[in-house]
Amino acid sequence: MANLKQSKKRVRVNEEARELNMAFKSDMRTAIKRVEKLAQSNDQNAGEALTSAVKKIDKAVKRGAIHENNGNRKKSRLTKLVQNA
């Protein structure tokens, strides 16, 4: 365990950031799974779900929870999936 005051603060701040990042990633993954499910069933709502998923991905990228290239790759793959469905 950390001994210095600043070290203790860093531990606390890093833990809070980790929990927030996990929440952003979880929301993003849920949105992606919803798009994939709707695209497989050729549902008309897949486009709306895609818009929502792209917003969640962009928010995770902006927050730093995932890398920008990773976010772009996810958006590209989802868009292709919806277009081909």
Side-chain angles (χ1 to χ4, degrees):
M1 184 63 200
N3 291 323
L4 301 177
K5 185 176 180 181
Q6 185 61 32
S7 300
K8 292 177 183 177
K9 180 180 178 182
R10 287 300 336 151
V11 169
R12 187 177 70 244
V13 168
N14 287 338
E15 180 65 23
E16 291 170 2
R18 186 180 72 84
E19 289 174 3
L20 279 173
N21 286 341
M22 285 187 345
F24 277 107
K25 285 182 183 181
S26 177
D27 287 345
M28 178 190 68
R29 286 190 202 112
T30 303
I32 289 172
K33 288 176 187 174
R34 182 168 181 256
V35 172
E36 290 171 345
K37 182 179 177 185
L38 290 173
Q40 281 183 343
S41 63
N42 292 328
D43 195 335
Q44 296 297 330
N45 297 329
E48 296 172 15
L50 175 65
T51 304
S52 173
V54 167
K55 286 181 182 179
K56 301 241 183 201
I57 292 170
D58 286 338
K59 189 168 278 198
V61 168
K62 182 179 179 185
R63 180 75 173 71
I66 62 171
H67 194 273
E68 185 177 1
N69 292 350
N70 189 346
N72 290 339
R73 185 173 62 247
K74 288 181 187 302
K75 289 188 289 188
S76 175
R77 289 178 179 171
L78 283 177
T79 305
K80 282 183 188 176
L81 184 66
V82 170
Q83 286 177 349
N84 292 334

